[in-house]
Amino acid sequence: MSYEQGDVWWGPAPHKSGPSYRPWVIVSDSSHPFAHTECIALAMTTQQHSGAIAVPDDA
């Protein structure tokens, strides 16, 4: 799998019932152990929540 830090991928939403997907942003880089098969990603949301950090459209 080829990825770069900052890439956004759509993947499973594990805490939703039924098949659901959400965006995930890759935060690890090539120095991460096993980078060729694993990565660290943070779940994002498409909903607006209080206290959330908005990602600009051009990001």
Side-chain angles (χ1 to χ4, degrees):
M1 174 160 131
S2 178
Y3 64 87
E4 291 185 25
Q5 189 177 47
D7 285 353
V8 175
W9 291 66
W10 282 87
H15 301 292
K16 299 278 186 176
S17 60
S20 296
Y21 292 87
R22 69 174 336 124
W24 295 80
V25 63
I26 306 296
V27 295
S28 58
D29 60 17
S30 60
S31 68
H32 176 71
F34 310 106
H36 61 286
T37 57
E38 298 178 357
C39 68
I40 298 172
L42 299 177
M44 299 176 74
T45 182
T46 57
Q47 307 297 313
Q48 292 185 0
H49 297 282
S50 63
I53 300 170
V55 177
D57 291 336
D58 61 345

